Amino acid sequence: MPSTALWEKARSTLLAGLAIVALCLAVPAQAAEKSLIDKGEALVRKNCSPCHAIGKEGDSPHKEAPPFRTLSAKYPIEDLAESLAEGIVSGHPDMPIFAFSPHDVEAIIQYMQSIQAQ
């Protein structure tokens, strides 16, 4: 039977190894999420920024267009996914109809969640 000191050293080594593995798995997940948020920002910058404020501050260029950072005050951001995929139709005549791929919808939702006013 191993000594207590040897057992403690083995246990410490095992825990350190598990911590390193957990860290290695977490870093790519965070990078992928950041990449998705960046893609969402690029999509809304290209398609939405002519009318909407798309960042954490600033006014919308079109006075009738709500800033994206305030949308969660009206409804859950996740609820926009279906409209983004099928085509957002607004009662506002200036609003063009957009339809995005499922991956683009996920990116836009992630970005919008990242900028919501607290």
Side-chain angles (χ1 to χ4, degrees):
M1 180 163 195
S3 72
T4 304
L6 184 60
W7 176 247
E8 286 300 318
K9 182 170 173 69
R11 182 174 169 261
S12 295
T13 303
L14 177 62
L15 289 175
L18 289 173
I20 290 170
V21 168
L23 181 61
C24 290
L25 293 174
V27 170
Q30 290 172 347
E33 183 176 319
K34 174 72 172 134
S35 175
L36 199 58
I37 289 171
D38 289 345
K39 179 176 182 166
E41 181 179 14
L43 286 165
V44 299
R45 185 169 309 287
K46 176 183 175 191
N47 294 290
C48 311
S49 67
C51 296
H52 294 271
I54 62 164
K56 291 184 177 183
E57 55 188 38
D59 296 329
S60 293
H62 190 297
K63 67 178 182 173
E64 302 286 325
F68 282 174
R69 69 182 170 278
T70 66
L71 293 178
S72 64
K74 294 182 181 182
Y75 35 75
I77 296 300
E78 303 82 31
D79 289 358
L80 293 172
E82 185 177 347
S83 294
L84 289 167
E86 294 178 1
I88 291 184
V89 179
S90 169
H92 198 285
D94 294 344
M95 173 85 176
I97 297 173
F98 293 103
F100 297 96
S101 73
H103 188 265
D104 288 352
V105 168
E106 182 181 3
I108 292 168
I109 295 294
Q110 289 289 322
Y111 175 70
M112 286 196 180
Q113 288 173 330
S114 77
I115 63 164
Q116 292 310 294
Q118 302 301 322

